Amino acid sequence: MTTLTYQPSAIAPHVLRELRDHDDAGVVPRPYAYDPAGAPLRCCLRRSRADERISLVSYAPLRRWAVEVGADPGAYDETGPVFVHAGRCGGPDPASGHPFAETGALRAFRRYDAEGHIAGGAMVRLPDDPAGAQAAVDQALRAAFAFPDVVLVHVRAVEYGCFLYEVRRP
């Protein structure tokens, strides 16, 4: 079992229900079976498997967080594409470690303050070994939360700029 200091958060089940009806751009999702390469699912924080029914939906993670905590991110609000299961799923496995920590991948760690304004960030190339990749993610999150004004970190894939998951200050 992996114990993480900084817990990655999947998209909450009540938000997934909304996104499966109409996404954050107001579009009705169109489920399909994804290829075996595996899409990064934000509902359960793992890669999709062959023939699983998934949807690509528009999601506004900072906007939804801001509504929850009463913040006003202003121009920092953004909407982007994320993959989710087309139907209910079991959610993430808390013992699986940091999700999407593929070896050699580039990850951006974007920091936000209590108002939802960007408070800096870092780009990290994950090492080529799985244990090193997990340690690099943990180290990047430790560095981000070393800034006392940081309350939230969004982890993104640099290659596509996609939101992968959020981590809140413990």
Side-chain angles (χ1 to χ4, degrees):
M1 176 163 190
T2 302
T3 302
L4 300 177
T5 303
Y6 303 102
Q7 190 62 47
S9 295
I11 298 174
H14 74 279
V15 173
L16 289 167
R17 283 191 296 277
E18 294 170 11
L19 293 173
R20 289 175 181 129
D21 183 43
H22 285 85
D23 68 16
D24 285 346
V27 176
V28 175
R30 294 181 217 132
Y32 60 97
Y34 196 70
D35 66 66
L41 297 168
R42 284 29 168 252
C43 51
C44 55
L45 301 180
R46 67 165 174 82
R47 295 255 174 215
S48 64
R49 297 179 184 119
D51 298 322
E52 282 185 306
R53 304 265 316 145
I54 65 173
S55 295
L56 183 61
V57 300
S58 289
Y59 178 55
L62 191 62
R63 179 185 316 158
R64 288 182 174 271
W65 169 85
V67 167
E68 181 185 322
V69 301
D72 180 12
Y76 294 104
D77 181 30
E78 59 186 325
T79 303
V82 296
F83 292 100
V84 298
H85 276 113
R88 291 185 61 184
C89 73
D93 176 359
S96 64
H98 294 294
F100 314 121
E102 287 90 353
T103 58
L106 283 170
R107 295 293 178 251
F109 294 80
R110 189 179 298 164
R111 304 184 305 254
Y112 293 93
D113 66 16
E115 285 302 312
H117 298 171
I118 293 175
M123 185 172 71
V124 175
R125 180 172 297 282
L126 301 181
D128 288 332
D129 67 287
Q134 290 287 320
V137 171
D138 195 59
Q139 181 179 350
L141 291 168
R142 256 194 325 274
F145 287 114
F147 293 91
D149 61 328
V150 173
V151 299
L152 178 71
V153 175
H154 282 179
V155 179
R156 294 175 173 270
V158 172
E159 301 84 351
Y160 297 101
C162 295
F163 169 85
L164 294 174
Y165 58 92
E166 75 177 29
V167 178
R168 297 183 183 194
R169 180 175 288 282

